[in-house]
Amino acid sequence: MTQSAAVVLFSGGQDSTVCLAWALKNFNQVSTVGFDYGQRHRIELECRQHVLSAMRDCNTVETGHLGDDALLDLSVLGQISETSLTSEAEITMSEQGLPSTFVPGRNLIFLTLASAVAWRRNADILVGGMCETDYSGYPDCRRTTLDAQQQALALGMERDFRVDTPLMYKTKADTFAMAKALGGNDLVELIVEHTHTCYLGDRSARHDWGYGCGTCPACELRANGWDVWQAAGCPEDTTGLA
């Protein structure tokens, strides 16, 4: 564990929960920030509080150094984004080859505001669950985008902010395996029971991998990752833990 402070971009989903466990292992001060941007699946805002509470009660994850949480109002983002994540529109592919769930500028805005929170908390590391392996093709999830944003934050704030993305090159199966390495079966069960990923905000059905509609792109990625991990014998992935 390094003597550094980190702010985790925490949505209450599988990826951000694994990132939170990873940050708790690697940094001696950890806090969280979330965003209410008028998302269609806003049930995640309720779930994130359940996850944080369950994480503090999880005996296999050390949370004594888990600090404050902040939820920022970004409703303006939903107002200017006509997407399937911010309205009841059907999930389709656009002419540009991007899914209609893509919210333009979302991660760029998230990181900018998270860095302002980090500045106030005297933290210089931002941790996000962005991934360009098993993902929906969002350009603001790519490492090249985040490298550019990292440089912009450092230049604009005169502080060497670092954007850590521990899941960047991991599949969803790897993410389940990483959760097991970080907190054993207890953390895996916490993720299955409490986190939310479904784009439609459906928590009426519980599958082996968690709650969701089972058919949206987010559910399909999570379900496939679970199946691949199970087929491999539920291994632990210790690569990239430090």
Side-chain angles (χ1 to χ4, degrees):
M1 183 181 294
T2 61
Q3 297 298 308
S4 299
V7 172
V8 179
L9 282 68
F10 183 68
S11 68
Q14 174 187 357
D15 293 347
S16 66
T17 300
V18 174
C19 285
L20 177 56
W22 178 86
L24 288 166
K25 174 179 173 59
N26 284 280
F27 307 113
N28 68 323
Q29 294 182 49
V30 178
S31 58
T32 52
V33 61
F35 306 94
D36 180 353
Y37 58 98
Q39 55 266 57
R40 181 178 183 176
H41 56 304
R42 59 187 300 106
I43 186 68
E44 71 174 7
L45 299 180
E46 179 181 334
C47 289
R48 68 188 298 276
Q49 292 303 320
H50 294 319
V51 175
L52 284 173
S53 177
M55 185 76 84
R56 292 183 187 278
D57 293 335
C58 183
N59 294 326
T60 58
V61 178
E62 175 55 53
T63 58
H65 52 302
L66 176 58
D68 294 340
D69 175 54
L71 181 64
L72 304 185
D73 181 1
L74 273 184
S75 54
V76 65
L77 182 58
Q79 294 169 19
I80 62 175
S81 300
E82 295 182 1
T83 76
S84 299
L85 277 196
T86 55
S87 71
E88 297 298 318
E90 181 183 359
I91 299 176
T92 60
M93 291 298 294
S94 70
E95 295 179 356
Q96 293 77 27
L98 290 172
S100 58
T101 52
F102 173 57
V103 181
R106 181 177 60 163
N107 282 337
L108 303 180
I109 295 171
F110 284 1
L111 286 167
T112 299
L113 292 177
S115 69
V117 172
W119 176 280
R120 188 174 70 248
R121 295 177 179 174
N122 200 30
D124 53 10
I125 298 168
L126 306 177
V127 181
M130 299 82 170
C131 169
E132 59 175 75
T133 306
D134 277 350
Y135 79 131
S136 298
Y138 302 157
D140 59 354
C141 285
R142 297 181 300 212
R143 188 62 235 187
T144 51
T145 301
L146 302 179
D147 286 341
Q149 181 76 350
Q150 178 177 277
Q151 182 179 16
L153 293 175
L155 290 171
M157 297 197 178
E158 285 292 341
R159 178 178 290 183
D160 289 331
F161 282 111
R162 190 177 83 216
V163 179
D164 282 354
T165 53
L167 307 183
M168 179 55 66
Y169 305 112
K170 293 187 178 295
T171 65
K172 281 292 184 285
D174 293 335
T175 303
F176 278 114
M178 187 173 177
K180 185 174 181 180
L182 286 165
N185 290 326
D186 286 354
L187 181 58
V188 173
E189 178 58 27
L190 183 156
I191 289 168
V192 169
E193 182 61 30
H194 294 293
T195 67
H196 184 83
T197 300
C198 176
Y199 283 158
L200 302 186
D202 187 348
R203 292 188 68 80
S204 62
R206 189 189 192 279
H207 311 270
D208 290 342
W209 45 266
Y211 292 88
C213 69
T215 59
C216 75
C219 283
E220 289 180 345
L221 282 172
R222 182 162 166 168
N224 182 67
W226 175 267
D227 289 343
V228 170
W229 182 58
Q230 290 284 313
C234 303
E236 293 185 9
D237 180 6
T238 59
T239 61
L241 292 194

